Amino acid sequence: MISIAIDGPSGAGKSTVARSAAKRFGFVYVDTGAIYRTIGLAAMNAGADTKDPTAVEAVLPTLNIELKYIDGEQRMFLDGKDVSKEIRLPEVSMCASNVSAMQHVRDYLTDMQRDLARKHNVIMDGRDIGTVILPNADLKIFLTASAEARAQRRWKELQAKGITDSFEEVLADMKKRDEQDTERKAAPLVAAADAVLLDTGSLTLEESIDAVCRLIAERTGAKAVTA
């Protein structure tokens, strides 16, 4: 099985690039961030303080989380309900950042993520894929861009969804998320020593996808199945 690890900060384009690259090569795309977001949403819905490890740990045994692929797209289900759109709300993003900093949450999900890589050719994106989840991945890529460039992209995405947060609010949230992700004790966001660094700040989406696909083809010999 071929495994590709794509890490990077929030808003660097990991999910969109990884999803598109997986489709091009016929691999399974695993959005690990969506799984953490679902746990964050579940804890929030349960009224738990997502900064309190004890409160979050108490929620874990009650979780009914499913990852399904529908028409080639990963969808997240919580208690039988498709929450794929709900987990992208800004308030859920911060809850996800809080719970993802907790070691017992990361341990809870590690086996699930590794099992997918054992069974399928995967492109998996997140914060610690190359450093913790798939340390022996065939290719590790670290996508990055300035906080301003990433916030601009996220702001436009939110506007398209009818969410009226200001750019300044989105940028502040982005910087706060970066701080939480890089300074947490459990699997902090950092590029693996053998990762290929790719700054997407000056690249279009298509250029970013093409750059990642070239790296995959060169490193693994995989052949594209779609244009």
Side-chain angles (χ1 to χ4, degrees), residues 34-35 38-39 41-42 63-70 73-85 87 112:
I35 306 174
T38 304
I39 291 180
L41 175 64
L63 293 181
N64 177 19
I65 293 178
E66 294 178 277
L67 185 156
K68 298 181 181 180
Y69 290 90
I70 300 175
E73 293 290 329
Q74 177 180 311
R75 309 291 293 181
M76 297 306 304
F77 286 76
L78 177 61
D79 296 329
K81 176 187 175 184
D82 188 342
V83 294
S84 304
K85 291 183 178 180
I87 61 174
M112 176 198 298

Side-chain angles (χ1 to χ4, degrees), residues 48 58 71 111:
D71 295 330
D111 285 344

Side-chain angles (χ1 to χ4, degrees), residues 13 27 33-34 39 50 63 87 101 119 132 135 158 163 172 183 190 207 211:
F27 290 4
I39 291 180
T50 58
L63 293 181
I87 61 174
K119 295 178 179 177
V132 176
L158 293 175
I163 299 172
E183 296 182 1
V190 62
E207 287 171 340

Side-chain angles (χ1 to χ4, degrees), residues 35-217:
I35 306 174
Y36 284 104
R37 284 172 177 270
T38 304
I39 291 180
L41 175 64
M44 185 179 77
N45 288 347
D49 180 353
T50 58
K51 293 183 179 180
D52 181 349
T54 302
V56 173
E57 187 170 13
V59 173
L60 294 181
T62 71
L63 293 181
N64 177 19
I65 293 178
E66 294 178 277
L67 185 156
K68 298 181 181 180
Y69 290 90
I70 300 175
D71 295 330
E73 293 290 329
Q74 177 180 311
R75 309 291 293 181
M76 297 306 304
F77 286 76
L78 177 61
D79 296 329
K81 176 187 175 184
D82 188 342
V83 294
S84 304
K85 291 183 178 180
E86 192 173 351
I87 61 174
R88 299 298 170 183
L89 295 173
E91 57 267 30
V92 179
S93 294
M94 200 51 65
C95 290
S97 183
N98 291 338
V99 302
S100 67
M102 300 172 185
Q103 189 62 54
H104 53 267
V105 173
R106 306 198 75 82
D107 292 342
Y108 177 82
L109 293 178
T110 294
D111 285 344
M112 176 198 298
Q113 295 169 91
R114 288 178 176 168
D115 189 54
L116 287 167
R118 283 191 289 266
K119 295 178 179 177
H120 308 278
N121 292 327
V122 299
I123 296 181
M124 193 175 295
D125 76 73
R127 302 291 193 283
D128 65 342
I129 309 305
T131 54
V132 176
I133 305 302
L134 301 177
N136 298 314
D138 296 283
L139 171 64
K140 302 173 187 177
I141 300 172
F142 193 87
L143 291 186
T144 189
S146 69
E148 289 73 18
R150 290 182 284 120
Q152 185 71 22
R153 292 173 184 162
R154 182 60 53 82
W155 180 59
K156 289 180 178 178
E157 290 173 0
L158 293 175
Q159 282 189 315
K161 296 176 181 178
I163 299 172
T164 58
D165 291 19
S166 69
F167 171 75
E168 289 73 20
E169 289 173 319
V170 175
L171 178 59
D173 282 346
M174 187 76 66
K175 290 181 176 179
K176 184 176 181 181
R177 181 77 189 269
D178 287 351
E179 182 179 353
Q180 288 185 332
D181 288 345
T182 56
E183 296 182 1
R184 70 191 183 201
K185 292 182 179 179
L189 171 65
V190 62
D194 54 346
V196 178
L197 298 181
L198 180 60
D199 190 326
T200 65
S202 62
L203 302 179
T204 66
L205 175 58
E206 285 305 317
E207 287 171 340
S208 298
I209 294 169
D210 287 343
V212 166
C213 288
R214 280 196 299 271
L215 289 169
I216 293 171

Side-chain angles (χ1 to χ4, degrees), residues 15-38:
S15 296
T16 305
V17 170
R19 184 185 300 109
S20 298
K23 184 176 181 180
R24 190 173 295 186
F25 288 99
F27 290 4
V28 170
Y29 164 58
V30 183
D31 177 1
T32 63
I35 306 174
Y36 284 104
R37 284 172 177 270
T38 304

